[in-house]
Amino acid sequence: MRQRKLLLAAGARPNFMKVAPIIRALQAWNQANPDRALLHVLVHTGQHYDPEMSDTFLLDLDIPQPAHFLGVGPGSHAVQTAKVMMAFEEVCAKERPDAVVVVGDVNSTLACALTAKKMGMAVAHVEAGLRSRDLSMPEEINRMVTDALSDWLFASEPSGVENLLAEGRPARCIHLVGNTMVDSLLHALHSMDGEDVAEGLPGQGPYALLTLHRPTNVDPPERLKEIMGAVELIGRDLPVYFPVHPRTKARLQETGLATRMAGDAVRQLPPLGYKGFLRLLRGASLVLTDSGGLQEETTVLGIPCFTIRDNTERPITVQEGTNTLVGTSREGILAAFELFRKGRTKKGRRPALWDGGAAKRIVEILARDLEGEA
Ligand code: UD1
């Protein structure tokens, strides 16, 4: 039988956590099934390029050195997407894979899916079907287009399956497999067992953890001031640790908020590596965030999460997990904090299939289907 080849594409910080367990599952598959081995080639688009946004993640997640580094860097959405497409086309032409695997919803996800599909290659999308119904989020556009093109749609939660069926995607392409981000989380926590929870923490006692980077929250100065005003008040009660994303760092400096907030209430940190971030996360009493991944990670860890947005593409974290949508107004955020202070927090439970086995399921389906095409 001809050996099958997969091209795995990743480019931005949240992609690395989703692709790492797939690489591990492919290695395990190949060891267990040497006669049915799947070749796999990792491509790093370079959308995120600062060491703390990229290299430390590859290291912490045990991701092997990518075979191709496209080095696209920053740019407007059109420029970044176009640069990835141009460079990825060359890689596809050289590697001639049987299928391209893309993960998540960043610009690199869309660019690689679009390029591969136009070259007649099959595309698998990991984390398919999530919808916020908010087209002001670039990620929502990336999700919709990527799903419209993909031949395998690997959903992380039932809402993903429902959305894809409602959009007319054929049921045979849709697979509810669980969440590869959770695979990474459980794997890392296991490897960190026995480590001091507080190791690497700049302080003692209870604290909250904040991350903020969505353009709609950090780009308009008024919105950023409103959110940071609420965070500062919370910080007087419960110190807030805040690893700052490069986009947000620039906005905090432009608005003068970076210096105004310098104090003990809100402690600004550089972006952390995966394990460093997990150490901070697992000791937190409360998380405030506008990230997608953290809504899922807090649900698995049972930590109350305030999502500073009006919608979420991950409704299971609200329905079953510890997530609460608190909106973006100062009043909304503080009202939620008041309930938290009174001990009225969501307990939540871990959703079905968020068990560390998502990547294994994905690899088994890909192997079966690619063999079927022989
Ligand atoms: C991207 C993803 C978003 C994801 C986020 C996680 C898209 C549309 N958005 O947003 O879904 O949640 O990553 O981090 O793909 N920058 C650096 N160093 C880096 C990377 C970025 O300084 O390593 C700067 C860029 O120059 C730019 C800003 O940060 O000024 C934003 O970067 P960009 O990759 O465009 O989008 P993110 O906001 O990171």
Side-chain angles (χ1 to χ4, degrees):
M1 192 184 67
R2 184 173 71 81
Q3 200 165 32
R4 305 288 162 172
K5 190 200 267 188
L6 297 173
L7 216 53
L8 308 172
R13 189 169 61 175
N15 281 173
F16 304 132
M17 290 89 112
K18 292 166 196 166
V19 89
I22 299 176
I23 297 172
R24 243 189 332 272
L26 280 164
Q27 289 164 345
W29 170 270
N30 289 351
Q31 229 165 23
N33 305 277
D35 50 331
R36 301 164 67 197
L38 289 165
L39 289 175
H40 48 279
V41 175
L42 178 63
V43 184
H44 183 338
T45 68
Q47 174 173 343
H48 283 174
Y49 47 91
D50 283 346
E52 67 268 25
M53 299 292 283
S54 169
D55 301 356
T56 46
F57 271 77
L58 302 186
L59 215 64
D60 275 357
L61 288 157
D62 285 328
I63 295 179
Q65 205 50 37
H68 302 273
F69 181 73
L70 310 184
V72 298
S76 69
H77 285 269
V79 166
Q80 196 169 56
T81 308
K83 277 187 174 171
V84 176
M85 288 182 73
M86 286 163 69
F88 192 65
E89 188 177 47
E90 279 182 32
V91 175
C92 288
K94 182 162 167 252
E95 296 283 356
R96 305 297 319 162
D98 295 281
V100 170
V101 180
V102 298
V103 298
D105 56 13
V106 302
N107 287 339
S108 298
T109 312
L110 163 72
C112 295
L114 194 50
T115 306
K117 198 66 196 164
K118 285 207 168 190
M119 294 178 83
M121 290 161 187
V123 175
H125 183 206
V126 175
E127 200 183 81
L130 298 183
R131 296 289 180 270
S132 66
R133 319 259 172 237
D134 176 1
L135 285 169
S136 71
M137 286 177 82
E139 294 83 359
E140 182 72 356
I141 300 169
N142 295 343
R143 290 190 277 259
M144 288 166 63
V145 178
T146 304
D147 284 340
L149 300 173
S150 295
D151 304 274
W152 288 273
L153 296 153
F154 293 116
S156 54
E157 60 167 89
S159 77
V161 175
E162 287 155 26
N163 293 331
L164 292 164
L165 289 172
E167 288 172 19
R169 301 314 325 277
R172 69 184 145 74
C173 300
I174 305 170
H175 310 274
L176 182 62
V177 290
N179 192 322
T180 60
M181 183 104 171
V182 175
D183 291 5
S184 268
L185 174 65
L186 298 178
H187 182 79
L189 288 177
H190 185 70
S191 77
M192 286 159 63
D193 261 0
E195 277 184 24
D196 181 0
V197 172
E199 190 198 329
L201 273 191
Q204 298 288 326
Y207 58 87
L209 171 62
L210 167 71
T211 79
L212 202 67
H213 76 280
R214 298 241 90 81
T216 47
N217 278 344
V218 304
D219 287 353
E222 287 317 311
R223 172 71 68 84
L224 184 60
K225 279 182 195 155
E226 172 105 4
I227 294 171
M228 292 315 300
V231 168
E232 232 179 330
L233 283 178
I234 290 174
R236 289 184 198 167
D237 245 348
L238 185 65
V240 178
Y241 286 104
F242 181 20
V244 186
H245 185 282
R247 167 192 290 281
T248 312
K249 184 177 175 194
R251 302 297 173 266
L252 289 171
Q253 279 164 353
E254 285 157 22
T255 50
L257 283 163
T259 33
R260 219 193 78 194
M261 280 184 339
D264 277 352
V266 183
R267 304 175 194 190
Q268 297 168 63
L269 307 172
L272 302 174
Y274 185 58
K275 287 190 175 164
F277 186 81
L278 286 187
R279 279 184 206 109
L280 196 57
L281 172 62
R282 70 176 174 176
S285 307
L286 171 68
V287 169
L288 301 125
T289 190
D290 61 5
S291 132
L294 261 178
Q295 298 174 50
E296 301 179 333
E297 289 164 337
T298 46
T299 275
V300 172
L301 293 170
I303 300 170
C305 177
F306 292 175
T307 295
I308 305 176
R309 288 173 47 188
D310 295 321
N311 54 51
T312 178
E313 60 289 331
R314 294 163 160 88
I316 203 162
T317 60
V318 175
Q319 291 149 6
E320 295 188 13
T322 53
N323 190 17
T324 307
L325 292 177
V326 299
T328 55
S329 73
R330 183 184 150 107
E331 296 72 40
I333 298 168
L334 292 177
F337 184 66
E338 203 39 47
L339 293 178
F340 169 84
R341 275 184 40 173
K342 290 181 179 148
R344 287 167 57 191
T345 55
K346 287 172 89 168
K347 295 290 172 272
R349 63 183 148 104
R350 193 190 295 185
L353 297 177
W354 288 20
D355 57 0
K360 182 167 182 276
R361 291 178 202 113
I362 289 170
V363 168
E364 284 168 0
I365 292 168
L366 287 174
R368 181 198 67 200
D369 289 358
L370 287 169
E371 279 171 16
E373 284 168 13

